[in-house]
Amino acid sequence: QVQLVESGGGSVQAGGSLRLSCAVYGYGGSSLSLGWFRQPQGKEREGVASIELNGRTSYADSVKGRFAISKDNAKNILYLQMSSLNPEDTAMYYCAADWHYTVAAPLRHSDYRMWGQGTQVTVSS
C-alpha cells in the first residue's frame, strides 16, 4: 500500500514561486511513475508534470519553462517547483503514483490509481 502526502501549498501573488512536496510512504523500491495533477474549482483534473522510472519528465504546455518536477529517491519525496505563477495556476494540486509498467500516458490522470489528499495553491493578481 502506497500513501502519498502533499504539502507546500498556499497563497502567493502573481509572479511568485512555491514548491510542493509529496512524501511517498509504504513502498520499498523505485518502481513508481509519479505525477502532479491539478484541478481548478469547477473544472476537470489535468496533468501538470510527471517523472517516470527512467527519470524522463513530461510537462503540460501551460507550465513548460515555469514548473520543474524532481524527486529525491533517498528521501522518497517528489517535488514540484513552481515559478512565475499566475492566477490561472490556482487549483488543488494532487500527487499521484502508480507502478511504472501500468502508466502508458504520464499526464493522463486515469493512468494513476494512488493519490494524495491534495494541497491548495491560490495565486492572486
Side-chain angles (χ1 to χ4, degrees):
Q1 184 79 14
V2 174
Q3 186 178 10
L4 308 173
V5 180
E6 303 100 331
S7 60
S11 297
V12 64
Q13 288 193 327
S17 299
L18 281 174
R19 188 178 77 162
L20 305 183
S21 299
C22 173
V24 184
Y25 298 102
Y27 83 109
S30 301
S31 301
L32 299 172
S33 285
L34 300 165
W36 286 101
F37 293 77
R38 67 185 181 186
Q39 188 166 15
Q41 192 170 9
K43 297 184 179 180
E44 292 188 358
R45 191 168 299 190
E46 60 180 3
V48 174
S50 67
I51 185 164
E52 299 173 54
L53 190 64
N54 59 9
R56 182 168 60 190
T57 57
S58 300
Y59 294 93
D61 288 343
S62 58
V63 306
K64 281 180 182 176
R66 300 189 298 121
F67 290 12
I69 189 171
S70 63
K71 61 180 179 176
D72 185 327
N73 289 322
K75 296 181 179 179
N76 291 339
I77 298 178
L78 179 72
Y79 298 103
L80 184 68
Q81 179 67 49
M82 305 185 294
S83 303
S84 301
L85 286 161
N86 58 63
E88 289 69 39
D89 296 315
T90 295
M92 184 71 79
Y93 283 71
Y94 297 91
C95 171
D98 213 316
W99 308 115
H100 68 93
Y101 48 81
T102 70
V103 177
L107 292 180
R108 184 168 61 198
H109 66 83
S110 59
D111 278 30
Y112 295 83
R113 292 172 292 175
M114 295 170 271
W115 292 85
Q117 81 288 349
T119 185
Q120 178 68 36
V121 172
T122 302
V123 185
S124 58
S125 57

